[in-house]
Amino acid sequence: MNKRNRPSRQRRERLGKQGHRGHHEMKMDDSVYQLRRQVIDIIYEANRRLQANGCPRLPRQEVRIVDGGKKNILGYAWMGCNIVHINKQTCEGRRDTSEHTALLYTTLHELLHSVLAIDHTESCPLMSTYHDYSVTDEQAWELFLGYFL
């Protein structure tokens, strides 16, 4: 995304704080920081994998942990704005038996919205509207990298 299409700093700050469908940003404390750190670690891994494949790094992402609102929403991002919101329950692994998969899947999905402004595509298991629980971690990484290669 070029600078002309990027929203202003004030708009990005407002979008970062703004809740969606009843969600609200959680106040930062040690427990929220640990949840946020899990998402940031996935973003760091995404950067390592992208660079290993000769792709540029992702732009800096603003990561917010949200709570409340619709319980079936694992996370959301503002298209092309580099702002990612992840539901607290997704980070805590209460939505999937293989805890990390739900968080990994959701983070990669929201990164594609945030960075590339990719809309939902039902033909791609990673970018479908609903979480495809049959996708493994490695398949999720392959699908994610496929958008950059």
Side-chain angles (χ1 to χ4, degrees):
M1 175 172 273
N2 63 33
K3 284 195 170 201
R4 280 184 291 155
N5 295 338
R6 186 176 172 131
S8 68
R9 184 177 57 83
Q10 291 84 8
R11 175 149 169 75
R12 286 175 13 101
E13 286 176 6
R14 193 170 57 250
L15 289 174
K17 303 278 187 215
Q18 181 178 341
H20 179 66
R21 298 188 183 190
H23 288 93
H24 61 275
E25 183 182 340
M26 296 182 68
K27 297 281 184 200
M28 188 61 74
D29 63 18
D30 289 344
S31 64
V32 174
Y33 178 78
Q34 288 174 351
L35 298 175
R36 189 170 172 261
R37 187 76 236 171
Q38 293 174 25
V39 177
I40 291 170
D41 287 343
I42 292 171
I43 294 171
Y44 285 165
E45 179 63 21
N47 275 324
R48 280 192 290 277
R49 289 181 186 236
L50 285 168
Q51 287 185 311
N53 285 291
C55 299
R57 293 175 54 87
L58 295 172
R60 182 183 180 280
Q61 299 295 305
E62 294 182 28
V63 176
R64 305 288 184 248
I65 304 300
V66 295
D67 198 13
K70 291 192 170 191
K71 300 300 180 192
N72 64 335
I73 296 176
L74 302 175
Y76 57 94
W78 299 109
M79 297 289 239
C81 294
N82 301 323
I83 302 171
V84 175
H85 295 82
I86 303 293
N87 193 322
K88 175 185 173 185
Q89 293 174 330
T90 307
C91 294
E92 292 174 341
R94 293 187 181 154
R95 298 192 176 272
D96 195 344
T97 54
S98 58
E99 296 176 7
H100 196 265
T101 302
L103 179 58
L104 175 69
Y105 178 99
T106 303
T107 303
L108 296 179
H109 174 99
E110 299 308 335
L111 280 173
L112 289 173
H113 284 319
S114 172
V115 175
L116 300 178
I118 304 281
D119 206 356
H120 290 133
T121 307
E122 301 307 321
S123 61
C124 174
L126 182 61
M127 289 311 294
S128 66
T129 306
Y130 300 100
H131 184 144
D132 183 347
Y133 288 95
S134 67
V135 175
T136 66
D137 286 1
E138 273 314 305
Q139 289 172 329
W141 281 115
E142 288 173 19
L143 292 166
F144 176 79
L145 292 173
Y147 281 93
F148 293 91
L149 299 176

